[in-house]
Amino acid sequence: MTRGQLGDAVVVDGVDKRAFYTEQQKKIAELAEKVHAGTLTNAAGEKFTTVVQIGIGGSDLGPRAMYLALENWAKANNTFKMEARFISNVDPDDASAVLDGIDVAHSLFILVSKSGTTLETLTNEAFVKDALKNAGLDASKHMIAVTSETSPLAKSDDYLAAFFMDDYIGGRFSSTSAVGGAVLSLAFGPDVFAQFLEGAAKEDELAKNKDLRKNPAMLDALIGVYERNILGYGTTAVLPYSQGLSRFPAHLQQLDMESNGKSVNRFGEPVDYVTGPVIFGEPGTNGQHSFYQLLHQGTDIIPLQFVGFKNNQMGTDVVIEGSTSQQKLCANVVAQIVAFACGKADDNRNKNFEGGRPSSIIIGDQLNPATLGALLAHFENKVMFQGFVWNVNSFDQEGVQLGKVLAKRVLAHDTDGALKVYSELLNI
């Protein structure tokens, strides 16, 4: 969880954070190895077979995206240890669906809340504890916590163990901490998580390079600033041509929009220029049959960020009509980039493509732990660099708080005006 050269100390407020996070990684590895070996079991002495993460926002989006990205790779490389499931939405249907699909007696739950006070997460924890109690199980023997050292969860007897992160790290930047480390180490093994961190660390080293041509994250950031502030494009599409990255765009939505969706600078002064873009995306080739029509011929020009891999994760493929499925996937990436850039003239205006749609592409050999870590770090650093250029605080998220405050007022029936009217409409 240190993402850098092992000998480098990172001192903050007199504390060596490298040592702190290395220690957390070690403790997570020790717990995961005990679970995999069957020395840490349920009350009946039986092995845990499923791990369930309870969290929302950065406690869910990043870890879920990382798990899905590596699930098939782990199965193909014999490192798959435990199935992982995720509960995030306070909608009871979310928790119910997960709990109905697992054997709670053989499940280990990870409660993730930096503050220890997140309403949705604590509500879902109570939901899970109720299910464990109804099954005649001691919840404290089935749950671990990931939180800050200052939270009420840190020293609670309700958990088998607690792993820590700093309270100033936004959840969207926490996948390489215990927030992602616990679930990935349990699901795939500590070595896979270590490879993930190593890939992120190598990309971080590139982000330190002062030569723009050798610093892909900074180059990407400046291209994005040019598209946003000079060309006036308000949206960016992230288009991974890899099914494993099915939830990666959703994670990048939070990473980018929660970080740089600001209208005041670091000093609280209104800015007179636009900042973060709207981010959306889906994996190719599914997206081609969904929203690409607007990307090709819509009235708005939307910059595109493609991600592709030369090889698939499972190592299996078939030849159909002279080419494999992977070759067809890669051919679609090539074709789309050229089509967006060059367009196609046609006397029938309905079939005319103007072109001039800008795009970039990141290409890797295969989606594996190291390349996933590098890809994540690339976008984290890109967002950071753009925040520097726009002079905004990329590391707070005050926009998340207002809704939380008003929701608590609704639940306490402390409402008036529009809040009262809408509360009554929903029978709250």
Side-chain angles (χ1 to χ4, degrees):
M1 289 180 284
T2 51
R3 283 174 60 167
Q5 299 302 313
L6 295 178
D8 297 339
V10 180
V11 179
V12 179
D13 297 329
V15 177
D16 184 351
K17 291 301 179 182
R18 183 171 303 287
F20 171 77
Y21 282 106
T22 300
E23 179 65 17
Q24 297 307 305
Q25 184 181 356
K26 179 182 177 183
K27 288 181 177 179
I28 289 171
E30 289 172 350
L31 180 132
E33 287 165 355
K34 288 178 181 178
V35 171
H36 299 154
T39 56
L40 178 60
T41 65
N42 66 7
E46 299 164 336
K47 292 181 69 172
F48 292 109
T49 58
T50 303
V51 55
V52 181
Q53 180 131 323
I54 308 167
I56 196 167
S59 299
D60 168 74
L61 287 165
R64 189 193 295 250
M66 302 309 119
Y67 171 79
L68 292 173
L70 295 179
E71 183 179 19
N72 284 336
W73 179 89
K75 289 176 179 177
N77 288 272
N78 299 315
T79 65
F80 187 85
K81 308 292 184 183
M82 303 170 68
E83 179 187 16
R85 303 289 296 275
F86 297 84
I87 298 173
S88 59
N89 200 330
V90 76
D91 182 343
D93 286 345
D94 188 16
S96 294
V98 172
L99 292 169
D100 286 348
I102 63 173
D103 177 2
V104 294
H106 296 88
S107 297
L108 186 63
F109 296 86
I110 307 173
L111 183 76
V112 184
S113 175
K114 181 175 61 178
S115 66
T117 61
T118 308
L119 177 63
E120 296 95 332
T121 300
L122 295 183
T123 300
N124 279 326
E125 179 194 26
F127 206 114
V128 168
K129 283 184 173 179
D130 190 57
L132 289 166
K133 180 181 178 182
N134 291 340
L137 301 167
D138 181 353
S140 67
K141 304 299 182 184
H142 285 257
M143 302 191 81
I144 63 176
V146 174
T147 189
S148 68
E149 289 185 292
T150 59
S151 93
L153 308 179
K155 301 293 191 291
S156 174
D157 293 332
D158 290 342
Y159 309 101
L160 284 165
F163 306 110
F164 303 124
M165 62 181 293
D166 283 298
D167 57 11
Y168 53 76
I169 295 178
R172 58 197 178 277
F173 292 100
S174 68
S175 292
T176 51
S177 76
V179 173
V183 66
L184 294 180
S185 295
L186 285 163
F188 308 132
D191 289 344
V192 170
F193 181 57
Q195 293 170 39
F196 172 68
L197 294 180
E198 184 61 28
K202 289 182 178 179
E203 188 66 27
D204 285 343
E205 287 299 312
L206 290 178
K208 297 177 184 178
N209 200 311
K210 295 180 181 179
D211 185 345
L212 179 62
R213 295 167 297 179
K214 298 178 181 178
N215 188 329
M218 186 180 292
L219 180 61
D220 198 357
L222 293 179
I223 290 172
V225 170
Y226 176 76
E227 291 169 340
R228 184 76 176 106
N229 295 90
I230 305 302
L231 300 179
Y233 302 148
T235 305
T236 297
V238 179
L239 309 171
Y241 275 64
S242 167
Q243 186 60 29
L245 294 177
S246 61
R247 291 296 289 168
F248 194 70
H251 171 59
L252 295 187
Q253 283 179 341
Q254 186 197 22
L255 174 65
D256 200 311
M257 295 170 72
E258 196 167 84
S259 295
N260 292 337
K262 310 290 170 61
S263 56
V264 298
N265 64 22
R266 291 186 299 116
F267 308 107
E269 302 162 341
V271 299
D272 58 0
Y273 46 84
V274 294
T275 58
V278 173
I279 303 294
F280 78 99
E282 283 288 329
T285 58
N286 292 12
Q288 294 177 199
H289 296 266
S290 174
F291 52 80
Y292 277 39
Q293 168 61 41
L294 185 146
L295 300 183
H296 277 292
Q297 293 182 304
T299 54
D300 289 314
I301 293 179
I302 297 175
L304 316 163
Q305 288 203 289
F306 290 91
V307 179
F309 298 94
K310 298 176 184 178
N311 301 297
N312 64 29
Q313 292 183 307
M314 302 296 285
T316 57
D317 209 339
V318 294
V319 176
I320 298 175
E321 297 181 355
S323 61
T324 67
S325 296
Q326 184 67 26
Q327 288 172 329
K328 289 179 173 64
L329 179 69
C330 292
N332 271 275
V333 179
V334 173
Q336 289 296 328
I337 290 174
V338 173
F340 281 120
C342 300
K344 181 180 75 72
D346 197 297
D347 292 336
N348 182 342
R349 298 301 299 168
N350 192 52
K351 296 182 179 181
N352 186 74
F353 294 81
E354 295 292 340
R357 267 60 173 171
S359 67
S360 63
I361 186 168
I362 297 173
I363 301 172
D365 286 330
Q366 183 190 55
L367 180 58
N368 58 41
T371 56
L372 179 65
L375 189 65
L376 176 68
H378 170 88
F379 281 101
E380 288 182 346
N381 289 319
K382 172 192 174 182
V383 168
M384 176 187 69
F385 287 137
Q386 289 185 328
F388 292 164
V389 173
W390 288 319
N391 194 29
V392 298
N393 184 351
S394 300
F395 307 103
D396 69 1
Q397 57 278 341
E398 293 300 325
V400 179
Q401 305 305 319
L402 178 59
K404 291 182 179 181
V405 172
L406 292 179
K408 288 181 179 179
R409 284 184 56 192
V410 171
L411 291 172
H413 301 288
D414 177 21
T415 59
D416 55 23
L419 202 61
K420 188 174 190 298
V421 172
Y422 286 115
S423 299
E424 290 173 348
L425 280 173
L426 289 167
N427 296 319
I428 297 171

